[in-house]
Amino acid sequence: MAKTVFLSIGAEFIHGGHIAIIEKAAELGELTVGVLSDEAFMSYRGYPVLTYEERCNIISHIKGVSRVIKKDTLSYDKIIAELRPDYVVHSDRWRGKSREKVQKLLQQYGGELVEFPYTDKSEYEIFDRQAEQLRYMPEIRRGKLRRALQLADRPLRVLEAHNGITGLIVEKTQVEKEDEIRQFDAMWISSLCDSTAKGKPDIELVDMTSRENTINEIMEVTTKPIILDGDTGGLIEHFVYRVKTLERMGVSAIIIEDKIGLKKNSLFGTDAAQQQDSIEHFCEKIRAGKAAQMTKDFMIIARIESLILAKGMEDALKRAFAYVEAGADGIMIHSKDKEPDEVLEFCEKFREKCEDVPIVVVPTTYNHITEKELGKYGVNIIIYANHLIRSAFPAMNKVAHTILENERSLEVDEDCMPIKEILTLI
Ligand code: SPV
Ligand code: MG
């Protein structure tokens, strides 16, 4: 009987290097290729440009491939238990501890791991580079948030970025866990952080041209979807232009809040005089934005300030349903309470009537609740709205003080990244 062989393929764009490894694997016996599901792909290298079905179709047509199956986790445990292949084929490039795990599983029944050197032919590098370049393109980038919302079986986690370097932190930070490589799904361009980074108050003083410059700076060095904090969205007559501009840039979503007049940061709550917009006027803004929108990808998310402004749950829910009716692609419910109770109550009541419209939350003050718990209440997007600037400022402040205290910089050495590292960081 022919030996059975298993090979997992994560790549989207197949080149000669992949073909070579498939050929070698097929020489060992009957070859089954595991194609990563979109969800597994997402947890490994971000959003696939090609869907699972498209990737499957391509691989199933390659000579030597007997069949294609779905590999829906990064780990090999389930596949090896089910298939018990005689051989698992892999390149000699592994991530984390998976090599040892695979070997252990194979040893249990006499299976064998066969490794081939990873191709380093420079002619193939161009394919990898092209795949990477595609991720930067507005057409690809714009739709990534909607795709991620469809794919994810957990709330998306989003961290603020306010310049190139913080964008890179959101883009690159990864934590390796059992069955996933955990990372942020998108970035939030916060009005608070964008303003603070420019030394200005969060009162819509930093104008849209300047906000667009921040977005551009981040976009030049990253590929993850961007959610823009659009403040009030401004005048309806201006908002319609803003939507088109953001779409063209490749931004995935704008969140606008139902306030009018001089906007101040929500975390002031009722300490700052702020006026909530009327339901009618805000709905008109949403409708105008949706009518101006050119693509299906872009999302306009309506942010409800009723709990912030102590207007009560009923008002929040009434607004939520009206905004959805007006065409909002999602609802953000904000709260500055230390406990998540009012947000959770809102989610439960909203979900009774509205199953599919994404819910966005910003757990800055009620931050003891976990992502998993929020997910159980139907939350789809969790925004960590200000944490990079809040962590950077005290660190920078401390260094500035210490230099003044000591009239030299020796004492701050251990608080600073070594020069060699900063030079080679980018
Ligand atoms: C921001 O990050 O600017 C926000 C969220 O709008 S909050 O600061 O909590 O209002
Ligand atoms: Mg804001």
Side-chain angles (χ1 to χ4, degrees):
M1 218 170 79
K3 297 273 189 191
T4 55
V5 188
F6 179 76
L7 168 70
S8 169
I9 293 201
E12 282 184 283
F13 299 100
I14 302 296
H15 55 60
H18 302 111
I19 302 289
I21 208 163
I22 287 174
E23 272 175 1
K24 284 184 202 162
E27 279 169 17
L28 296 170
E30 198 181 275
L31 174 63
T32 299
V33 176
V35 175
L36 283 182
S37 66
D38 288 336
E39 295 86 338
F41 198 103
M42 229 174 95
S43 77
Y44 155 69
R45 52 164 66 158
Y47 314 89
V49 175
L50 299 183
T51 62
Y52 167 75
E53 285 75 21
E54 288 165 322
R55 288 179 284 119
C56 241
N57 191 21
I58 293 168
I59 288 172
S60 65
H61 283 87
I62 296 175
K63 206 169 116 197
V65 176
S66 297
R67 68 175 171 143
V68 171
I69 59 168
K70 193 184 236 179
K71 187 161 179 283
D72 52 18
T73 65
L74 291 184
S75 122
Y76 281 71
D77 298 23
K78 204 171 111 201
I79 294 266
I80 292 182
E82 280 171 16
L83 298 184
R84 292 173 69 86
D86 295 306
Y87 301 108
V88 167
V89 172
H90 200 281
S91 76
D92 57 0
R93 260 204 218 171
W94 290 83
R95 280 203 192 219
K97 296 197 179 77
S98 36
R99 184 178 190 274
E100 293 88 81
K101 274 185 81 183
V102 168
Q103 257 182 334
K104 227 179 184 174
L105 290 167
L106 289 170
Q107 269 162 16
Q108 285 168 7
Y109 65 91
E112 215 180 296
L113 177 63
V114 179
E115 289 167 291
F116 295 114
Y118 190 86
T119 176
D120 57 358
K121 278 198 183 160
S122 53
E123 69 205 72
Y124 298 142
E125 266 174 25
I126 191 168
F127 289 94
D128 291 337
R129 229 177 305 129
Q130 273 173 354
E132 187 57 20
Q133 279 163 1
L134 265 182
R135 293 179 209 284
Y136 283 90
M137 292 297 123
E139 296 73 27
I140 302 283
R141 187 171 194 155
R142 193 193 304 117
K144 281 179 176 177
L145 188 69
R146 269 200 200 274
R147 278 285 295 288
L149 281 166
Q150 283 159 5
L151 292 180
D153 52 3
R154 55 166 178 80
L156 302 180
R157 52 178 88 88
V158 181
L159 181 62
E160 73 91 356
H162 53 270
N163 56 18
I165 187 80
T166 48
L168 278 173
I169 290 175
V170 185
E171 177 90 2
K172 305 264 183 205
T173 307
Q174 294 188 341
V175 172
E176 211 170 315
K177 291 282 164 187
E178 262 299 278
D179 222 17
E180 61 169 335
I181 295 164
R182 198 173 291 162
Q183 49 182 313
F184 292 99
D185 299 292
M187 29 196 114
W188 166 245
I189 317 246
S190 148
S191 67
L192 172 65
C193 302
D194 202 357
S195 308
T196 306
K198 292 171 173 59
K200 302 231 167 96
D202 181 18
I203 52 171
E204 293 190 274
L205 172 63
V206 177
D207 68 14
M208 208 49 204
T209 309
S210 179
R211 306 280 319 270
E212 283 163 17
N213 282 341
T214 304
I215 298 171
N216 259 324
E217 195 181 304
I218 293 170
M219 282 189 152
E220 275 176 11
V221 294
T222 62
T223 65
K224 287 188 173 169
I226 286 180
I227 305 175
L228 176 71
D229 174 358
D231 290 318
T232 64
L235 297 173
I236 294 178
E237 293 82 349
H238 297 179
F239 183 57
V240 289
Y241 281 91
R242 201 160 289 172
V243 166
K244 285 197 170 80
T245 305
L246 295 170
E247 275 190 287
R248 209 172 52 237
M249 292 173 82
V251 169
S252 301
I254 185 170
I255 301 189
I256 50 169
E257 58 193 278
D258 56 0
K259 284 201 267 205
I260 198 152
L262 180 62
K263 185 225 78 154
K264 297 200 179 137
N265 186 275
S266 300
L267 300 175
F268 282 122
T270 48
D271 294 347
Q274 305 201 58
Q275 200 190 331
Q276 201 168 14
D277 201 354
S278 71
I279 296 183
E280 294 69 32
H281 184 257
F282 198 65
C283 283
E284 203 184 317
K285 196 178 285 186
I286 295 168
R287 275 194 296 269
K290 289 309 290 177
Q293 194 176 316
M294 318 273 282
T295 66
K296 286 201 185 108
D297 301 332
F298 192 70
M299 299 175 76
I300 297 178
I301 299 174
R303 162 171 169 175
I304 295 166
E305 292 287 296
S306 306
L307 303 180
I308 293 283
L309 300 171
K311 297 278 170 62
M313 186 62 63
E314 228 168 88
D315 184 70
L317 287 161
K318 188 168 144 199
R319 284 172 177 271
F321 297 128
Y323 300 162
V324 170
E325 186 68 35
D329 299 295
I331 291 294
M332 170 176 153
I333 183 68
H334 204 11
S335 159
K336 65 180 281 289
D337 215 83
K338 281 207 158 20
E339 294 304 321
D341 304 14
E342 59 180 16
V343 167
L344 301 182
E345 184 187 338
F346 174 91
C347 292
E348 276 184 328
K349 292 192 167 145
F350 181 70
R351 279 280 171 258
E352 280 170 18
K353 282 205 201 158
C354 237
E355 274 178 30
D356 301 327
V357 176
I359 302 179
V360 184
V361 299
V362 182
T364 303
T365 51
Y366 54 96
N367 62 355
H368 58 84
I369 191 158
T370 63
E371 293 174 358
K372 270 205 182 72
E373 283 172 286
L374 286 166
K376 282 188 204 140
Y377 284 82
V379 168
N380 305 88
I381 298 181
I382 298 170
I383 300 180
Y384 299 100
N386 43 48
H387 298 79
L388 291 185
I389 204 147
R390 277 172 62 210
S391 53
F393 185 78
M396 294 192 286
N397 224 5
K398 182 179 167 208
V399 165
H401 272 97
T402 310
I403 292 174
L404 284 183
E405 290 285 349
N406 296 283
E407 298 181 293
R408 63 177 192 181
S409 71
L410 175 72
E411 287 71 16
V412 300
D413 270 355
E414 63 186 48
D415 290 321
C416 293
M417 204 172 175
I419 291 290
K420 206 170 163 198
E421 271 181 42
I422 191 77
L423 290 176
T424 53
L425 178 71
I426 309 290

